[in-house]
Amino acid sequence: ERRMEALRKAALFAARAKAPAVITHLGFIPEEPINPLFHETVIAVRELAVFMEKLGIQFWFETGQETAVTMLRLIQAVGTQNLGINLDPANLILYGKSNPIDALDVFGTHVRNIHAKDGLYPTDPMKLGREVKVGTGRVRFPEFVRRLKEVGFTGEYIIEREISGDQQQQDIRETVGYLEKLIEEVG
């Protein structure tokens, strides 16, 4: 309930700020639709989605801890028209949940914006994979950007580089140029 209240407050703020959406990690969504916790999650998300819909706010889920099929299942089960996906392709890899290009085959039409981030799959099963500079990990950005265009993506690319200092700044600048080139190539 505390988390739901925080998301309601975020929606009220977003409405006042004329922001289009509230974006969040939902947490660990149960994979099995027969799991009673999945049903409870649907009820909670629907309540929030309806609240946000009345405010004219979209409700977008950042990818990461769940498979693409689980994310699509939740969106369909909730059933409101204001749901979408903030696709973080690296998170799918870091958590070992999905190949982001394949995930587009599952939920591509629901993608509203992208976290431009890259990563490597986990090699130690007790830890997440490792985030790396865009273009040096397993996302396969040329194919990813091309596939996004094919599914009709028109949203924003938001660069994330989870390090700090001069290297972060340099990586972000280089990623801007890299993404501009890829986006131009796909038209």
Side-chain angles (χ1 to χ4, degrees), residues 21-34:
V22 170
I23 304 170
T24 190
H25 279 285
L26 284 177
F28 291 92
I29 302 166
E31 297 278 333
E32 296 295 326
I34 61 171

Side-chain angles (χ1 to χ4, degrees), residues 143-160:
E143 185 178 353
F144 181 65
V145 170
R146 187 172 48 256
R147 188 69 186 107
L148 281 166
K149 180 170 176 59
E150 290 170 0
V151 300
F153 175 73
T154 59
E156 311 81 30
Y157 288 83
I158 303 162
I159 298 170
E160 270 192 349

Side-chain angles (χ1 to χ4, degrees), residues 7 20-24 26 29 38 41-54 56-62 70-86 107-113:
L7 287 166
V22 170
I23 304 170
T24 190
L26 284 177
I29 302 166
F38 179 78
T41 302
V42 169
I43 291 169
V45 171
R46 185 178 294 129
E47 181 182 321
L48 289 166
V50 167
F51 178 82
M52 291 183 200
E53 202 169 40
K54 288 176 182 174
I57 299 296
Q58 298 281 305
F59 191 20
W60 300 346
F61 314 132
E62 183 171 347
T70 298
M71 181 70 79
L72 180 60
R73 182 181 296 128
L74 178 70
I75 288 171
Q76 289 179 351
V78 170
T80 62
Q81 299 303 304
N82 62 331
L83 302 180
I85 294 172
N86 161 245
F107 61 43
T109 59
H110 295 281
V111 175
R112 302 296 177 254
N113 65 13

